Amino acid sequence: MSLDSPTPQASGPGRPARTGSGPGRLGPLPWIAPAVLLILTVVLWPVYEMARTSFLRISTSGFVRGSAGLDKYRKLFGEADLGRVLLSTVVWTVAVVGLTMALSLGLAQLFNQRFPGRRFARWALIAPWAASVLMTAIGFRWMLDRTAGVLNTALTDLGLVDGPRDWLGDPSTAWPWMVLVAVFVSLPFTTYTLLAGLQTVPGELYEAARVDGASPWQAYRRITLPLLRPAFLVGLVINLINVFNSFPVIWGMTQGGPGSATATSTVFMYQLKNTDIGESAAMSVVNFALVVLMVLVFLKVGRWNGEER
C-alpha cells in the first residue's frame, strides 16, 4: 500500500460509522418495492378508476358521453331498493360471520383433541375450501331446483311436503339456504385459523389451572379465550370483509332475484351494471367506503393491537 493513500477511518465509540451511498442507504425499500407496486397496481389503481367512472356518463356499450357530476350518486340514493339491499347486507354479514365463528370455535376445539380419525376429519374439512365457491353454489342450486332437485324429490317421496317447493324463488327460504352455503365454504379457513391459535396455548397453563382447582369452563374462559384473541380477531376481520363482499354464493344460487330481493350491495352493484355503468361504479364506491369504515370501527372497538388505552 502506498504511503500516500488515505487510510480508512475506523469507527469507535465516539465516532459514528461512515455510511456508504450504495443500496444499503435505501434500507428495506428494495425488498418491499415489489409488494408496494403490486398493491398500487391491483388495489389502488382500480379504486381510482372506479371512483373516476362514478362521475362519468357512460353508455351500456362502454362509450364515455361526458361528465355526470354527482348525478349517478343522486340516482343511486334515489333507488327504491337501496335501503332494503343495505339492510339485507348487514343481516347477511352478521348471520354468516356469527354462525361461522361460533361453529369454527367448536370445530377447532374438537380438532385440537386426540380422537380416532382426527387426521381424516381435518382433511375432510378442507374440501369446501378447496372447491370453487361458485361451483359449490351452483351444486346447491341444482340440489334445490324445483323440478329436478334431489331435495324436493326426497321430501316428496318421504311425504314431508305436498309438492315441489321453489326454495330459491322465495326470499324467505332462499336466504337461509344461502347463509348455510356461505357458512359451509367459510368454515375451513376460520377453523384452521382458530386451531392454529389453540395450538399455541401452552399446556402447562391448563395443568396449573387444574392444580388451582379451576373447572374446565373457568380454564376455557380465563386461559383459552384470552390467548385465542389474536387468532379470533384475524378470522373475524377476514370473514367480515369476505362475507360483506360475497358475490359467488348469491349470484350462483339466485343472482339476487327475484328482482333484488336476495341481493346484497355487491350483487346489487352488478345488477346496476346492466342499465347504468356510472351508477354501478357509484355503488362500488359506496360499498368500498362501507368496508373500510366497518373494518376501522371494528379494529378501534376490538383494540386490534391489544393495548389498553
Side-chain angles (χ1 to χ4, degrees):
M1 180 183 293
S2 173
L3 295 175
D4 296 332
S5 62
T7 57
Q9 308 238 344
S11 60
R15 187 192 300 271
R18 182 177 296 176
T19 58
S21 57
R25 298 187 63 183
L26 298 177
L29 185 59
W31 305 102
I32 66 174
V36 173
L37 183 61
L38 182 64
I39 292 174
L40 291 175
T41 303
V42 304
V43 178
L44 297 184
W45 177 254
V47 169
Y48 164 75
E49 283 294 323
M50 178 179 67
R52 187 178 70 87
T53 304
S54 67
F55 294 101
L56 297 176
R57 185 175 289 105
I58 304 177
S59 66
T60 54
S61 56
F63 292 99
V64 178
R65 302 300 186 187
S67 174
L70 296 175
D71 290 346
K72 301 303 179 183
Y73 288 92
R74 295 190 188 98
K75 182 179 178 181
L76 173 65
F77 290 118
E79 291 283 351
D81 292 332
L82 180 62
R84 178 171 49 78
V85 166
L86 292 178
L87 178 60
S88 298
T89 304
V90 173
V91 174
W92 158 265
T93 304
V94 171
V96 174
V97 174
L99 287 172
T100 299
M101 297 307 298
L103 292 175
S104 296
L105 192 59
L107 286 173
Q109 247 347 105
L110 174 64
F111 289 157
N112 199 37
Q113 310 297 321
R114 294 187 179 275
F115 59 88
R118 182 179 68 166
R119 179 175 298 182
F120 176 78
R122 287 182 174 183
W123 289 346
L125 185 64
I126 300 178
W129 195 20
S132 165
V133 176
L134 182 59
M135 182 181 71
T136 303
I138 293 175
F140 272 90
R141 187 184 72 192
W142 288 345
M143 183 187 76
L144 298 169
D145 186 78
R146 182 173 186 174
T147 56
V150 296
L151 181 62
N152 274 328
T153 301
L155 293 179
T156 303
D157 291 344
L158 293 173
L160 298 178
V161 294
D162 297 333
R165 293 191 59 181
D166 190 5
W167 299 100
L168 298 180
D170 183 358
S172 64
T173 54
W175 276 115
W177 277 109
M178 291 192 300
V179 168
L180 175 65
V181 175
V183 171
F184 177 70
V185 298
S186 302
L187 279 177
F189 168 79
T190 314
T191 300
Y192 275 99
T193 300
L194 297 179
L195 179 61
L198 285 174
Q199 292 180 340
T200 63
V201 180
E204 294 81 3
L205 295 179
Y206 295 111
E207 295 178 5
R210 282 194 295 269
V211 170
D212 291 340
S215 65
W217 168 245
Q218 289 175 326
Y220 183 77
R221 186 167 57 89
R222 297 182 179 274
I223 298 176
T224 304
L225 290 181
L227 295 180
L228 193 60
R229 184 173 178 269
F232 189 89
L233 287 177
V234 168
L236 186 56
V237 170
I238 293 178
N239 268 292
L240 282 172
I241 297 173
N242 287 342
V243 174
F244 188 89
N245 289 313
S246 180
F247 179 81
V249 171
I250 299 175
W251 191 258
M253 296 183 71
T254 67
Q255 296 189 351
S260 59
T262 59
T264 59
S265 57
T266 305
V267 176
F268 187 61
M269 168 195 71
Y270 195 79
Q271 290 177 331
L272 292 174
K273 175 187 70 68
N274 297 323
T275 56
D276 194 329
I277 295 176
E279 186 182 7
S280 176
M283 186 68 233
S284 301
V285 173
V286 172
N287 209 42
F288 179 77
L290 289 174
V291 171
V292 173
L293 179 63
M294 175 183 64
V295 173
L296 290 178
V297 169
F298 174 79
L299 296 182
K300 179 66 175 178
V301 173
R303 294 175 179 174
W304 173 261
N305 58 9
E307 294 178 0
E308 296 293 336
R309 304 200 194 291

